[in-house]
């Protein structure tokens, strides 16, 4: 399969999932709580419709590939290539009518993220990357993505979905970084990583992520010149505590504060 064929297929996944999801955005729809009495974890008909659409396309086109999705679990997990899908990353934003959610389409080879796309069908934006380069498509036309080269924490902009992600020692570690940066913004889920790749912010710090929350975003940030790791400096592909930075110097500085 050629690179052009692959790009066209991922574009089909994005277009088809967007068509399944958009009718539910800013419309009346049922929302369920997956938390079983814990922290509110909403899921909607749109989540399920978007993932089902992508799974069906993948199965028809690449029956030998595996799929790991937030809503319907894992199939063929031992395959060389596994698609990692989050139909709506930012469901809380989605049900609130705020367009900072996105569909995450990631592909791993032997467990390593090799391609990712974030599709925002409401704004008509797509961010994609393969770890070597990253691209934007949307209003204003296509362009390459490059991270900002801020190296001083005192000049940096930090984003996290919510400070409520952190508790105990993790909260203390996160606070050390927030107290060191110039500006902090909350609440953008996957969109924060794309803004990092586009050079608008410098750091993203989160905790409690699952693989489907981060796999697609790693090749985008890295393709734009950034770095994404766990708080220990290891692979971020399994989720957990995540640090994304626009460059290695800023990453080292933030990692040192997280470590105390």
């Amino acid at each position: 399969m050629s690179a052009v064929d692959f790009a066209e297929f991922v574009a089909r996944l994005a277009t088809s999932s967007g068509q399944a999801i958009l009718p539910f955005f800013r419309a009346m729809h049922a929302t369920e709580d997956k938390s079983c009495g814990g922290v509110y974890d909403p899921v909607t008909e749109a989540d399920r419709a978007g993932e089902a659409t992508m799974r069906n396309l993948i199965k028809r086109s690449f029956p030998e590939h595996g799929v790991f999705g937030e809503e319907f679990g894992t199939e063929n997990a031992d395959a060389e290539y596994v698609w990692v899908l989050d139909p709506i990353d930012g469901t809380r934003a989605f049900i609130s009518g705020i367009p900072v959610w996105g569909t995450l389409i990631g592909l791993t080879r032997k467990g390593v993220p090799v391609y990712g796309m974030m599709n925002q069908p409401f704004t008509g934006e797509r961010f994609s990357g393969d770890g070597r380069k990253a691209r934007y498509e949307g209003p204003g036309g296509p362009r390459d993505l490059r991270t900002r080269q801020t190296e001083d924490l005192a000049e940096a902009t930090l984003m996290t979905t919510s400070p409520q992600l952190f508790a105990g020692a993790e909260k203390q570690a996160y606070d050390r970084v927030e107290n060191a940066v110039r500006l902090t913004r909350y609440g953008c889920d996957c969109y924060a990583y794309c803004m990092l790749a586009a050079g608008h912010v410098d750091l993203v710090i989160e905790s409690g992520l699952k693989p489907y929350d981060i796999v697609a975003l790693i090749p985008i940030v890295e393709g734009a010149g950034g770095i994404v790791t766990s708080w220990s400096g290891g692979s971020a592909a399994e989720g957990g505590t995540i640090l994304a930075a626009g460059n290695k110097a800023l990453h080292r500085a933030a990692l040192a504060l997280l470590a105390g």
Side-chain angles (χ1 to χ4, degrees):
M1 183 177 200
S2 72
V4 173
D5 290 336
F6 175 75
E8 289 177 350
F9 177 72
V10 177
R12 282 177 57 205
L13 288 178
T15 298
S16 298
S17 60
Q19 290 170 343
I21 290 167
L22 271 183
F24 296 96
F25 186 52
R26 295 181 178 172
M28 298 298 294
H29 52 76
T31 302
E32 299 176 24
D33 183 2
K34 297 190 293 183
S35 69
C36 300
V39 176
Y40 181 54
D41 187 11
V43 60
T44 72
E45 298 169 68
D47 292 88
R48 297 188 179 108
E51 184 171 322
T53 296
M54 290 188 285
R55 281 178 175 269
N56 288 336
L57 278 171
I58 292 166
K59 288 178 185 177
R60 290 203 302 268
S61 302
F62 301 105
E64 72 280 11
H65 286 192
V67 182
F68 176 22
E70 179 176 12
E71 306 307 331
F72 298 113
T74 305
E75 298 179 61
N76 198 16
D78 296 328
E80 179 178 3
Y81 289 96
V82 177
W83 296 85
V84 185
L85 309 174
D86 190 346
I88 302 177
D89 184 81
T91 301
R92 293 172 181 83
F94 183 90
I95 65 176
S96 302
I98 304 169
V100 289
W101 51 274
T103 297
L104 298 181
I105 304 169
L107 181 66
T108 64
R109 184 184 184 193
K110 298 179 180 178
V112 177
V114 293
Y115 190 86
M117 175 180 283
M118 192 283 265
N119 180 48
Q120 218 308 332
F122 184 76
T123 62
E125 295 179 293
R126 290 178 181 176
F127 301 79
S128 61
D130 63 4
R132 297 180 299 277
K133 59 183 178 180
R135 291 281 288 170
Y136 169 84
E137 297 178 52
R143 65 179 184 272
D144 291 336
L145 295 172
R146 294 302 300 172
T147 57
R148 195 155 64 183
Q149 294 305 302
T150 305
E151 296 187 359
D152 187 348
L153 281 169
E155 300 296 320
T157 297
L158 164 68
M159 295 193 75
T160 190
T161 297
S162 171
Q164 294 178 338
L165 291 173
F166 313 104
E170 284 187 2
K171 182 65 164 60
Q172 294 173 8
Y174 168 79
D175 285 345
R176 287 194 291 270
V177 183
E178 181 172 298
N179 291 335
V181 302
R182 180 173 62 181
L183 176 66
T184 302
R185 305 301 299 164
Y186 302 141
C188 289
D189 296 284
C190 60
Y191 219 90
Y193 296 87
C194 294
M195 293 301 95
L196 180 107
H200 300 300
V201 305
D202 305 292
L203 292 165
V204 182
I205 299 178
E206 298 194 286
S207 180
L209 270 61
K210 303 297 184 184
Y212 46 72
D213 296 315
I214 192 65
V215 162
L217 298 165
I218 294 171
I220 300 172
V221 173
E222 292 183 345
I227 181 170
V228 188
T229 70
S230 67
W231 288 14
S232 65
S235 172
E238 295 300 316
T241 53
I242 303 298
L243 169 63
N247 57 77
K248 291 181 179 179
L250 196 64
H251 180 266
R252 283 195 300 269
L255 205 62
L257 283 181
L258 289 171

